[in-house]
Amino acid sequence: MRGQRTERLVRLAAKFMLCPSKLISLTDLASKFNVSKTVISDDVEVINSAMGAEGFGQMQVDRGRSGGARFVPICTPEYRQTLLSEIAEKLTDPERNLPGGLIYYSDLIFNPETALSLGYCMASLFTDAEPDVVMTSEVKGIPIAMFAAYALGVPLAVCRFRNRPSDGAAVGVHYPTASGDVKTMYIGTRQMRRGCRVLIVDDFMRGGSTASGMLLMAKQFDAEVAGIGVFIAYDEPKEKSVPNYHSLLTLKHNAEGQNRLVVTPGKE
């Protein structure tokens, strides 16, 4: 019996974590494992305690008539601080400095393990926003946005800077940059539905022109913006093109030409 329960706990935890934020019927699970619903509920409590101890998520149970549970990636402040501090330390290596006060981070965000953790951190900031879709821009915004969408249990819509025939019919918007240029971004009409709630995720923000372009794109679909999340935000200029956003890390550039990354405080 002990061995049977251990195996059931592992299989249940795997099932919940493979589809974050998706409600799974406890009745169906009880039937699948040939146990009572009460036993499954007890198992969910054990899984919830284990995930809470790890600090990267929790189980939420719907006590309604059908009954169900879901795994929600909500990172604790301790988990978030530890993860982002480790990433910030790696990124402050002087060899990562690039012209213009930028830093090289592609190797980290295109590492699935790191991108998954960052996606969970990003998603945990907006679980209460209940978005219907996550929007980002190509190319470096995709990894974190993809895992944030995965954690929230919603699809990902990608804005591109060149219209591709494979995307089908597309909507294009023109937006100004900080240098005074005007750029264009496109998104396939099948990636978004009108009136949806959209979470905008980007990898880097200096003046916020790319994020403002995505705000214009959301407006084309009469979408409600649930929030704006950024991996790294430059502290200058102070006034961005977007009204409100939340970043995981803030990049500061001192007079000696050195970059310094600090973990941005999470939402209370």
Side-chain angles (χ1 to χ4, degrees):
M1 181 66 69
R2 182 183 180 89
Q4 291 178 350
R5 191 188 187 197
T6 300
E7 178 184 347
R8 188 176 67 245
L9 284 169
V10 173
R11 291 174 63 186
L12 282 172
K15 189 174 184 66
F16 283 117
M17 293 187 70
L18 282 173
C19 50
S21 300
K22 296 292 187 183
L23 191 67
I24 300 176
S25 170
L26 297 183
T27 301
D28 291 345
L29 291 174
S31 176
K32 177 181 177 65
F33 290 101
N34 196 27
V35 294
S36 69
K37 191 174 174 181
T38 301
V39 170
I40 294 295
S41 296
D42 292 340
D43 290 344
V44 169
E45 287 298 324
V46 173
I47 295 171
N48 183 51
S49 297
M51 290 181 175
E54 290 297 321
F56 62 83
Q58 65 183 39
M59 298 296 299
Q60 292 183 353
V61 180
D62 181 1
R63 302 294 184 182
R65 182 174 181 180
S66 58
R70 60 167 64 90
F71 164 61
V72 182
I74 300 179
C75 301
T76 63
E78 294 77 15
Y79 178 91
R80 181 178 181 278
Q81 181 71 34
T82 300
L83 171 69
L84 295 178
S85 295
E86 291 176 354
I87 292 175
E89 184 176 356
K90 291 179 181 178
L91 292 177
T92 51
D93 183 342
E95 293 187 358
R96 290 183 175 272
N97 290 348
L98 298 173
L102 303 176
I103 54 175
Y104 177 76
Y105 54 83
S106 295
D107 60 324
L108 294 181
I109 62 173
F110 284 100
N111 180 317
E113 181 180 355
T114 304
L116 174 64
S117 298
L118 289 172
Y120 274 25
C121 278
M122 186 70 73
S124 66
L125 298 177
F126 299 100
T127 50
D128 294 337
E130 299 182 345
D132 300 310
V133 63
V134 172
M135 178 193 289
T136 191
S137 63
E138 62 177 0
V139 170
K140 290 192 291 185
I142 294 176
I144 297 175
M146 172 63 80
F147 283 115
Y150 172 68
L152 293 167
V154 300
L156 175 68
V158 180
C159 294
R160 301 190 181 277
F161 300 111
R162 182 171 63 88
N163 192 18
R164 292 172 170 80
S166 58
D167 287 338
V171 172
V173 296
H174 306 291
Y175 64 98
T177 65
S179 62
D181 297 331
V182 176
K183 290 187 176 181
T184 307
M185 65 171 56
Y186 305 87
I187 195 169
T189 56
R190 298 184 183 184
Q191 294 192 60
M192 297 267 290
R193 61 177 175 82
R194 293 200 168 275
C196 65
R197 287 178 57 80
V198 59
L199 169 63
I200 295 174
V201 174
D202 205 3
D203 64 301
F204 187 84
M205 179 186 290
R206 187 192 292 268
S209 59
T210 303
S212 65
M214 287 190 277
L215 285 174
L216 289 174
M217 184 64 75
K219 187 176 181 180
Q220 297 301 309
F221 289 85
D222 297 322
E224 181 182 357
V225 177
I228 300 175
V230 183
F231 172 39
I232 299 175
Y234 210 114
D235 67 333
E236 296 290 343
K238 298 297 183 183
E239 296 296 327
K240 311 293 186 186
S241 300
V242 294
N244 297 297
Y245 68 93
H246 192 85
S247 63
L248 298 180
L249 296 173
T250 299
L251 176 62
K252 299 178 180 292
H253 196 62
N254 61 27
E256 289 74 28
Q258 297 176 328
N259 288 326
R260 185 168 66 91
L261 278 163
V262 297
V263 178
T264 306
K267 288 184 178 180
E268 297 295 333

